[in-house]
Amino acid sequence: ESSNPASNLQPQDPASSFQSPASNDDEEYFFGGIVAHNTYISGSVGIGTTAPGTAKLAIEGTSDTAVKNTGPRSIKCTGTAGASFAQKNAVVVTASRSSVYFNLTNLPASTATLLEVRTFGSAIVWSLRITAAGILQLWNNTVQIGVNGSTLSTGTWYRLCVAYTIADITVNEFRVFLDGVLDISVTNAALGFILADQLRAGWPSTPGVGNIVNFDDVYVDDSATLTDAGVSTAPIDDDF
């Protein structure tokens, strides 16, 4: 397996941009701008909604062609009275790396979540948050774990990657990478919940009315290496 899985991506014809996981268990599979490694999705997937219903893929959000990292568009999440995010279900792993590009139009009114993993019952396992001052923080379900990370600015694309292994609520490792550089490292944090199931990106918590974040180029795998997932050397065929 490549040490930099995302670097294997090449531009794909939209009609053939999905590969069956049965074809080669060591490859990455990609469709609609989402990359998965050794991952099988069964049931419905919600983009911007936790209730996709019977649809295999349900999108509730804004497709933004003006602000994007690669491809023709990104997902734009605008803060309202509630949360605004995309969700992928069935991320049932004890080790994973999630890499997402984020671009903030403005900072949240108070500390808000950009990326998080929850249980099947929607309890927070971990969340990557940003303060009103733009400081990155890693949290369990209730409090910050580890020290503050870097300070982000508005109007800039940042690639955030969270790599983790979870053996128990007190036996775990977390590494947060900002543009490929280690930013936050936590060993054996006290977690309130484990058994990851839901991956959310955007504004999973309420950032304040009118606060905007765009995200693009999502990559997820089940590696336990606690390393950065890397960056694609060529844009893939992005549907968003």
Side-chain angles (χ1 to χ4, degrees), residues 118-136:
R118 295 191 177 215
T119 67
F120 179 78
S122 293
I124 297 172
V125 177
W126 61 260
S127 62
L128 185 61
R129 306 188 184 192
I130 185 170
T131 70
I135 300 170
L136 284 176

Side-chain angles (χ1 to χ4, degrees), residues 5-217:
S7 67
N8 296 330
L9 302 180
Q10 298 295 327
Q12 297 291 312
D13 173 45
S16 62
S17 60
F18 176 78
Q19 301 178 25
S20 168
S23 64
N24 188 333
D25 196 45
D26 292 328
E27 293 183 358
E28 287 73 48
Y29 309 103
F30 32 92
F31 184 72
I34 298 178
V35 184
H37 178 86
N38 293 351
T39 300
Y40 173 71
I41 302 175
S42 177
S44 301
V45 177
I47 303 296
T49 175
T50 59
T54 58
K56 291 298 181 183
L57 176 64
I59 300 177
E60 292 185 15
T62 302
S63 174
D64 193 341
T65 59
V67 179
K68 72 265 191 186
N69 185 52
T70 65
R73 59 186 65 84
S74 68
I75 292 291
K76 178 181 179 181
C77 297
T78 303
T80 62
S84 176
F85 59 90
Q87 175 173 311
K88 177 183 180 292
N89 295 327
V91 189
V92 187
V93 292
T94 55
S96 182
R97 299 184 301 180
S98 300
S99 175
V100 185
Y101 280 87
F102 288 96
N103 189 319
L104 294 144
T105 298
N106 39 28
L107 295 173
S110 58
T111 300
T113 301
L114 291 171
L115 185 67
E116 71 180 11
V117 162
R118 295 191 177 215
T119 67
F120 179 78
S122 293
I124 297 172
V125 177
W126 61 260
S127 62
L128 185 61
R129 306 188 184 192
I130 185 170
T131 70
I135 300 170
L136 284 176
Q137 296 180 340
L138 187 64
W139 286 53
N140 61 15
N141 58 311
T142 57
V143 297
Q144 182 182 0
I145 55 177
V147 299
N148 286 346
S150 296
T151 300
L152 305 189
S153 301
T154 58
T156 301
W157 281 106
Y158 295 100
R159 186 172 61 83
L160 299 175
C161 177
V162 180
Y164 68 89
T165 60
I166 299 176
D168 203 313
I169 57 173
T170 57
V171 181
N172 47 76
E173 298 281 351
F174 291 90
R175 305 291 185 271
V176 178
F177 297 89
L178 173 61
D179 292 333
V181 178
L182 182 63
D183 201 50
I184 300 173
S185 180
V186 178
T187 297
N188 296 339
L191 302 180
F193 299 92
I194 54 176
L195 300 178
D197 181 78
Q198 303 170 355
L199 175 66
R200 299 182 178 185
W203 290 130
S205 62
T206 305
V209 176
N211 291 91
I212 297 172
V213 64
N214 288 64
F215 73 90
D216 200 354
D217 299 326

